Amino acid sequence: MHTGQVNDLLRTLAPQVLGILVRRGADFAGAEDAVQEALIEAVQHWSDSLPDDPKAWLLRVAGRKLIDAQRSEAARRRREQRVHDEPPPGPTEQSDDTLLLLSRCCHPALSPASAVALTLRAVGGLTTAQIARAFLVPEATMAQRISRAKRTIAGERFDTPGDVRAVLRVLYLIFNEGFTGEISLADEAIRLTRQLVAAEAAEPVRMDPEIAGLLALMLLHHARRDARYTASGELVPLDQQDRSRWDTAMIAEGVAVLQDALARDRLGEYQAQAAIAALHDDAPTADETDWPQILEWYDELARLTSSPVVALNRAVAVGQVDGPRAGLAALGDVDPGLARWDAVAAHLYERADDVGRAIQHYTAAADRATSAAERTHLIKQAARLRAQA
Amino acid sequence: MAKYLLLKHYRHSGPKPVPGTEAMMDQWTPEEITAHIEYMNRFAEKLVESGEFVSEGALSPEGTFVRYDGEGRPPVTDGPFAETKDLIAGFMIIDVESQERAYEAAAELSAAPGQGGRPIYEWLEVRPFFAELQATAE
């Protein structure tokens, strides 16, 4: 079997096996370590031939690792019997476990960074080394981040799912980490969110449409990833992207997921943001973008959240619908302390044919950029206008 | 999380040193130097334990300026310059939750013991790294 396929299989099975161990009464931190060790063993053994029942194999090995660890720990000597005596899991429990594990890994007591790391390891089935590389920190640092997170939630009960909104925030953070590197964290976030959607579908009463809203949001942004950068890594703004490079199948899926969510009539931030992304994705050319509808969604979003970033993006939409002067008037009400404020001002001044002010704001925006790609892009905008002037 | 560079300078054109802390390390006692080094090592270990450590390094004060000099020609070198205003002594890279936390870590580094076991009150330069552009920022 191909190494990639083995890894994919392992990453699907890891949270299932962890869920079973935890529900049988194993403590989360110990079970999580045991599953990691079993994964490492599986990678060594499975590349030649796959066991008949990979999940049972993994459960058996992880169970043995757990018992070994517990044996060596006198204080926990009694627990192994409890793990052994529990009945085997029923067929429906896998979907329940996803939410159970995710809500514990995203517990509100954890810092966002700890929750992200723990989620990627315990539910995403990634190794500490892979997570460390994805975040460009040493493995020892990431190992500490994960074990601290586990200590923080030690003693938390694992029998009822926690706050699903906290889980969504963590998945959103993982998605926003981007597409670069050996592990695409955006793909990883989509995979985990899909699992959560599937888990919730089993219990439609509890179903929060924001889960589907977040999945739609991710898909509708991710569909544009290939058009977003040039081969040399420079940023291509939305209105200049080659739309033939957008992933139309992913857009179609995102739109379908969003429509289902909206039909449940409980609007939230993720659904509203996804609706805006869908309207961008839907336009055959930048000029055909339905800005009046986008502005309506920003008004909706502004009612849902007091986020200054929403107010900033809304000013862009106002500029498209009512003209750049109206956009600048809307911008006047937005906190100029935001990093992208000058970039929006520059764009609006340029459209208002005030080249001098546009150059000034593009230059200021470049100095305040928080990513190298943005900085280069903004410097080039200022340079382009200077060449024209 | 965001990465920050904490820069230690031998000399810099930034703020004036806190009065009474001007003595260079070669004027300290050997015990004071050991206490200082131990504090610095412990500081790095604590950052590993808190899951915030990325990297650190110390630099020799002697450096050379180097530049390209045209196709097929060897690099041109200049220096060392004894009197440059800015001289970096070392650095630490941390990955932290917030700017406040980065400042807090820098302040702890600046509290390292110096002469007489008193904190050195050293000015550290804190510089944020560029991050990846967020996937939803567009």
Side-chain angles (χ1 to χ4, degrees), chain B residues 59-116:
Chain B
L59 301 172
S60 153
E62 292 256 315
T64 308
F65 283 80
V66 182
R67 71 164 171 83
Y68 176 64
D69 195 38
E71 191 60 45
R73 297 167 66 92
V76 176
T77 62
D78 201 354
F81 294 91
E83 295 307 319
T84 46
K85 267 203 230 156
D86 266 286
L87 191 55
I88 294 163
F91 66 89
M92 185 174 272
I93 300 171
I94 57 176
D95 190 26
V96 292
E97 203 76 61
S98 63
Q99 181 180 271
E100 289 71 36
R101 173 63 193 132
Y103 289 180
E104 186 183 84
E108 193 181 339
L109 190 59
S110 165
Q115 208 170 30

Coordinates of all heavy atoms in Angstrom, one line a residue, chain B residues 59-116:
Chain B
L59 N 26.0 36.2 18.8 CA 26.8 36.5 17.7 C 28.1 37.1 18.2 O 28.1 37.9 19.1 CB 26.1 37.6 16.8 CG 24.7 37.1 16.2 CD1 24.0 38.3 15.6 CD2 24.9 36.0 15.2
S60 N 29.2 36.8 17.4 CA 30.5 37.4 17.7 C 30.4 38.9 17.4 O 29.7 39.3 16.4 CB 31.5 36.7 16.8 OG 32.6 37.6 16.6
P61 N 31.0 39.7 18.2 CA 31.0 41.2 17.9 C 31.7 41.6 16.6 O 31.4 42.6 16.0 CB 31.6 41.8 19.1 CG 32.3 40.8 19.9 CD 31.7 39.5 19.5
E62 N 32.6 40.7 16.2 CA 33.4 41.0 15.0 C 32.7 40.6 13.7 O 32.4 39.4 13.6 CB 34.8 40.3 15.0 CG 35.7 40.8 16.1 CD 36.8 41.7 15.6 OE1 37.4 41.3 14.5 OE2 37.1 42.7 16.1
G63 N 32.3 41.5 12.9 CA 31.7 41.2 11.6 C 32.3 41.9 10.5 O 33.1 42.9 10.6
T64 N 31.9 41.5 9.3 CA 32.5 42.1 8.1 C 31.4 42.5 7.1 O 30.4 41.7 7.0 CB 33.4 41.1 7.4 OG1 34.4 40.6 8.3 CG2 34.1 41.7 6.2
F65 N 31.4 43.6 6.5 CA 30.5 43.9 5.4 C 30.9 43.3 4.1 O 32.1 43.3 3.8 CB 30.3 45.4 5.3 CG 29.5 46.0 6.4 CD1 30.1 46.3 7.6 CD2 28.2 46.3 6.2 CE1 29.3 46.8 8.7 CE2 27.4 46.9 7.2 CZ 28.0 47.1 8.4
V66 N 30.0 42.7 3.4 CA 30.3 42.0 2.2 C 29.3 42.4 1.1 O 28.1 42.6 1.4 CB 30.2 40.4 2.4 CG1 30.5 39.7 1.1 CG2 31.0 40.0 3.5
R67 N 29.8 42.5 -0.1 CA 28.8 42.8 -1.2 C 29.3 42.2 -2.5 O 30.5 41.9 -2.7 CB 28.5 44.3 -1.4 CG 29.7 45.1 -1.9 CD 29.2 46.5 -2.4 NE 30.4 47.3 -2.7 CZ 31.0 47.3 -3.9 NH1 30.6 46.4 -4.9 NH2 32.0 48.1 -4.2
Y68 N 28.4 42.1 -3.5 CA 28.6 41.7 -4.9 C 29.4 42.7 -5.6 O 29.3 43.9 -5.3 CB 27.2 41.5 -5.5 CG 27.2 41.2 -7.0 CD1 27.8 39.9 -7.4 CD2 26.6 42.0 -7.9 CE1 27.7 39.6 -8.8 CE2 26.6 41.7 -9.3 CZ 27.1 40.5 -9.7 OH 27.0 40.1 -11.0
D69 N 30.3 42.3 -6.5 CA 31.1 43.3 -7.2 C 31.1 43.1 -8.7 O 32.1 43.4 -9.3 CB 32.6 43.3 -6.6 CG 33.3 44.6 -7.0 OD1 32.7 45.6 -7.0 OD2 34.5 44.4 -7.3
G70 N 30.1 42.5 -9.2 CA 30.0 42.3 -10.6 C 30.3 40.8 -11.0 O 31.0 40.1 -10.3
E71 N 29.9 40.5 -12.2 CA 30.0 39.1 -12.7 C 31.5 38.6 -12.7 O 32.4 39.4 -13.2 CB 29.5 39.1 -14.2 CG 29.3 37.7 -14.8 CD 28.3 36.8 -14.0 OE1 27.3 37.3 -13.6 OE2 28.7 35.7 -13.8
G72 N 31.7 37.5 -12.2 CA 33.1 36.9 -12.2 C 34.1 37.5 -11.2 O 35.2 37.1 -11.2
R73 N 33.6 38.5 -10.5 CA 34.6 39.1 -9.6 C 34.3 38.6 -8.1 O 33.2 38.2 -7.8 CB 34.4 40.6 -9.6 CG 34.8 41.2 -10.9 CD 34.3 42.6 -11.0 NE 35.0 43.5 -10.1 CZ 36.1 44.2 -10.4 NH1 36.6 44.1 -11.6 NH2 36.7 44.9 -9.5
P74 N 35.4 38.5 -7.3 CA 35.2 38.0 -5.9 C 34.4 39.0 -5.1 O 34.4 40.2 -5.5 CB 36.6 37.8 -5.4 CG 37.4 38.8 -6.2 CD 36.8 38.8 -7.6
P75 N 33.7 38.6 -4.1 CA 33.0 39.5 -3.2 C 33.9 40.6 -2.6 O 35.1 40.3 -2.3 CB 32.4 38.6 -2.1 CG 32.6 37.2 -2.5 CD 33.7 37.2 -3.5
V76 N 33.4 41.8 -2.5 CA 34.1 42.8 -1.8 C 33.8 42.8 -0.4 O 32.7 42.6 0.0 CB 33.7 44.2 -2.4 CG1 34.4 45.3 -1.7 CG2 34.0 44.3 -3.9
T77 N 34.9 43.0 0.4 CA 34.6 43.0 1.9 C 35.1 44.4 2.4 O 36.0 45.0 1.8 CB 35.4 41.9 2.6 OG1 36.8 42.1 2.4 CG2 34.9 40.5 2.1
D78 N 34.5 44.7 3.6 CA 34.9 46.0 4.2 C 34.7 45.8 5.7 O 33.9 45.0 6.2 CB 34.1 47.1 3.7 CG 34.8 48.5 3.9 OD1 35.8 48.5 4.6 OD2 34.2 49.5 3.5
G79 N 35.5 46.5 6.5 CA 35.4 46.4 7.9 C 36.5 45.5 8.5 O 37.4 45.1 7.8
P80 N 36.5 45.1 9.8 CA 35.4 45.5 10.7 C 35.4 47.0 11.1 O 36.4 47.7 11.0 CB 35.8 44.7 12.0 CG 37.2 44.5 11.9 CD 37.6 44.4 10.4
F81 N 34.2 47.5 11.5 CA 34.1 48.9 11.9 C 33.9 48.9 13.4 O 32.9 48.5 13.9 CB 32.9 49.5 11.2 CG 33.1 49.7 9.7 CD1 32.7 48.6 8.9 CD2 33.7 50.8 9.2 CE1 32.9 48.8 7.5 CE2 33.9 50.9 7.8 CZ 33.5 49.9 7.0
A82 N 34.9 49.4 14.1 CA 34.9 49.4 15.6 C 33.7 50.3 16.1 O 33.3 50.1 17.2 CB 36.2 49.8 16.1
E83 N 33.4 51.3 15.3 CA 32.5 52.3 15.9 C 31.0 52.3 15.4 O 30.3 53.3 15.5 CB 33.1 53.7 15.7 CG 34.4 54.0 16.5 CD 34.3 53.6 17.9 OE1 33.3 54.0 18.6 OE2 35.3 53.0 18.5
T84 N 30.6 51.2 14.8 CA 29.2 51.2 14.3 C 28.3 51.4 15.5 O 28.5 50.9 16.6 CB 28.8 49.9 13.6 OG1 29.3 48.8 14.4 CG2 29.4 49.8 12.2
K85 N 27.2 52.2 15.2 CA 26.3 52.5 16.3 C 25.5 51.3 16.8 O 25.1 51.2 17.9 CB 25.3 53.6 15.8 CG 25.8 55.0 16.1 CD 24.6 55.9 16.1 CE 24.8 57.1 15.2 NZ 23.6 57.7 14.7
D86 N 25.1 50.4 15.8 CA 24.3 49.3 16.2 C 25.1 48.0 16.1 O 25.7 47.7 15.0 CB 23.1 49.2 15.2 CG 21.9 49.9 15.8 OD1 21.3 49.3 16.7 OD2 21.6 51.0 15.3
L87 N 25.2 47.3 17.2 CA 25.9 46.0 17.2 C 25.1 45.0 17.9 O 24.8 45.1 19.1 CB 27.3 46.2 17.9 CG 28.3 45.1 17.7 CD1 28.5 44.8 16.3 CD2 29.6 45.5 18.4
I88 N 24.7 44.0 17.1 CA 23.8 43.0 17.7 C 24.6 41.9 18.4 O 25.6 41.4 17.8 CB 22.9 42.4 16.6 CG1 22.0 43.4 16.0 CG2 22.1 41.2 17.1 CD1 21.4 43.1 14.7
A89 N 24.2 41.6 19.6 CA 24.9 40.6 20.4 C 24.3 39.2 20.3 O 24.9 38.2 20.3 CB 24.9 41.0 21.9
G90 N 23.0 39.2 20.1 CA 22.3 37.9 20.1 C 20.8 38.1 19.8 O 20.3 39.2 19.8
F91 N 20.1 37.0 19.7 CA 18.7 37.1 19.4 C 18.0 35.9 20.0 O 18.6 34.8 20.3 CB 18.4 37.1 17.9 CG 18.8 35.8 17.2 CD1 17.9 34.8 17.1 CD2 20.1 35.6 16.7 CE1 18.2 33.6 16.5 CE2 20.4 34.4 16.1 CZ 19.5 33.4 15.9
M92 N 16.7 36.0 20.2 CA 15.8 34.9 20.5 C 14.6 35.1 19.7 O 14.1 36.2 19.6 CB 15.6 34.9 22.0 CG 14.8 33.7 22.5 SD 14.6 33.7 24.3 CE 16.1 32.8 24.7
I93 N 14.1 34.0 19.2 CA 12.8 34.0 18.5 C 11.8 33.3 19.3 O 12.0 32.1 19.8 CB 12.9 33.4 17.1 CG1 14.0 34.1 16.2 CG2 11.6 33.4 16.3 CD1 14.3 33.5 14.9
I94 N 10.6 33.9 19.5 CA 9.6 33.3 20.3 C 8.3 33.3 19.5 O 8.1 34.1 18.6 CB 9.3 34.0 21.7 CG1 9.0 35.5 21.4 CG2 10.6 33.9 22.6 CD1 8.7 36.3 22.7
D95 N 7.4 32.3 19.8 CA 6.1 32.2 19.1 C 5.0 32.3 20.2 O 4.9 31.4 21.0 CB 6.0 30.8 18.5 CG 4.8 30.7 17.6 OD1 4.4 31.7 17.0 OD2 4.4 29.5 17.3
V96 N 4.4 33.5 20.3 CA 3.5 33.8 21.4 C 2.1 34.2 21.0 O 1.9 34.5 19.8 CB 4.1 34.9 22.3 CG1 5.4 34.4 23.0 CG2 4.4 36.1 21.5
E97 N 1.2 34.2 22.0 CA -0.2 34.5 21.7 C -0.5 35.9 21.4 O -1.4 36.2 20.6 CB -1.0 34.1 23.0 CG -2.4 33.8 22.8 CD -2.6 32.4 22.2 OE1 -2.3 31.4 22.9 OE2 -3.2 32.3 21.1
S98 N 0.3 36.9 21.9 CA 0.0 38.3 21.7 C 1.2 39.1 21.8 O 2.3 38.7 22.3 CB -1.0 38.7 22.8 OG -0.3 38.6 24.1
Q99 N 1.1 40.4 21.4 CA 2.2 41.3 21.5 C 2.5 41.6 23.0 O 3.7 41.7 23.4 CB 1.8 42.7 20.8 CG 2.9 43.7 20.9 CD 2.5 45.0 20.2 OE1 2.7 45.2 19.0 NE2 1.9 45.9 21.0
E100 N 1.4 41.6 23.8 CA 1.6 41.8 25.3 C 2.6 40.7 25.8 O 3.4 41.0 26.6 CB 0.3 41.8 26.0 CG -0.6 43.0 25.8 CD -1.2 43.0 24.4 OE1 -1.5 41.9 23.9 OE2 -1.3 44.1 23.8
R101 N 2.3 39.5 25.4 CA 3.1 38.4 25.9 C 4.5 38.5 25.4 O 5.5 38.2 26.1 CB 2.4 37.1 25.5 CG 3.3 35.8 25.8 CD 3.5 35.6 27.2 NE 4.5 34.5 27.4 CZ 5.5 34.7 28.3 NH1 5.6 35.7 29.1 NH2 6.4 33.7 28.4
A102 N 4.7 39.0 24.2 CA 6.1 39.2 23.7 C 6.8 40.2 24.5 O 8.0 40.0 24.9 CB 6.1 39.6 22.2
Y103 N 6.1 41.3 24.9 CA 6.8 42.3 25.7 C 7.1 41.8 27.1 O 8.1 42.1 27.7 CB 5.8 43.5 25.8 CG 5.7 44.4 24.5 CD1 4.9 45.5 24.5 CD2 6.4 44.0 23.4 CE1 4.7 46.2 23.3 CE2 6.2 44.7 22.2 CZ 5.4 45.9 22.2 OH 5.3 46.6 21.0
E104 N 6.2 41.0 27.6 CA 6.4 40.4 28.9 C 7.6 39.6 28.9 O 8.4 39.6 29.9 CB 5.1 39.6 29.3 CG 5.1 39.0 30.7 CD 3.8 38.2 30.9 OE1 3.9 37.0 30.5 OE2 2.8 38.7 31.4
A105 N 7.8 38.7 27.9 CA 9.0 37.9 27.8 C 10.2 38.7 27.7 O 11.3 38.4 28.3 CB 8.8 36.9 26.6
A106 N 10.2 39.8 26.9 CA 11.3 40.6 26.7 C 11.7 41.3 28.0 O 12.9 41.4 28.4 CB 11.0 41.7 25.6
A107 N 10.7 41.7 28.8 CA 11.0 42.3 30.1 C 11.6 41.4 31.0 O 12.5 41.7 31.8 CB 9.7 42.9 30.7
E108 N 11.2 40.1 30.9 CA 11.8 39.1 31.8 C 13.3 38.9 31.4 O 14.1 38.7 32.3 CB 11.0 37.8 31.7 CG 11.4 36.8 32.8 CD 10.6 35.5 32.7 OE1 9.6 35.4 32.1 OE2 11.2 34.5 33.3
L109 N 13.5 38.9 30.1 CA 14.9 38.7 29.7 C 15.8 39.9 30.2 O 16.9 39.8 30.6 CB 14.9 38.7 28.1 CG 16.2 38.3 27.4 CD1 16.7 36.9 27.9 CD2 16.0 38.2 25.9
S110 N 15.1 41.1 30.1 CA 15.8 42.3 30.5 C 16.1 42.4 32.0 O 16.9 43.2 32.5 CB 15.0 43.5 30.1 OG 15.4 44.7 30.7
A111 N 15.4 41.5 32.8 CA 15.5 41.5 34.2 C 16.7 40.6 34.7 O 16.9 40.4 35.9 CB 14.2 41.1 34.9
A112 N 17.4 40.0 33.7 CA 18.5 39.1 34.0 C 19.5 39.8 35.0 O 19.7 41.0 34.9 CB 19.3 38.8 32.7
P113 N 20.0 39.1 36.0 CA 20.9 39.7 37.0 C 22.2 40.1 36.4 O 22.8 39.5 35.5 CB 21.1 38.6 38.0 CG 20.9 37.3 37.3 CD 19.9 37.6 36.2
G114 N 22.7 41.3 36.8 CA 24.0 41.8 36.4 C 24.9 42.1 37.6 O 25.0 41.3 38.5
Q115 N 25.6 43.2 37.5 CA 26.5 43.6 38.6 C 25.7 43.7 39.9 O 24.7 44.3 40.0 CB 27.1 45.0 38.3 CG 28.5 45.1 38.9 CD 29.2 46.4 38.3 OE1 28.5 47.3 37.9 NE2 30.5 46.3 38.2
G116 N 26.3 43.1 41.0 CA 25.7 43.1 42.3 C 24.4 42.3 42.3 O 23.6 42.5 43.3

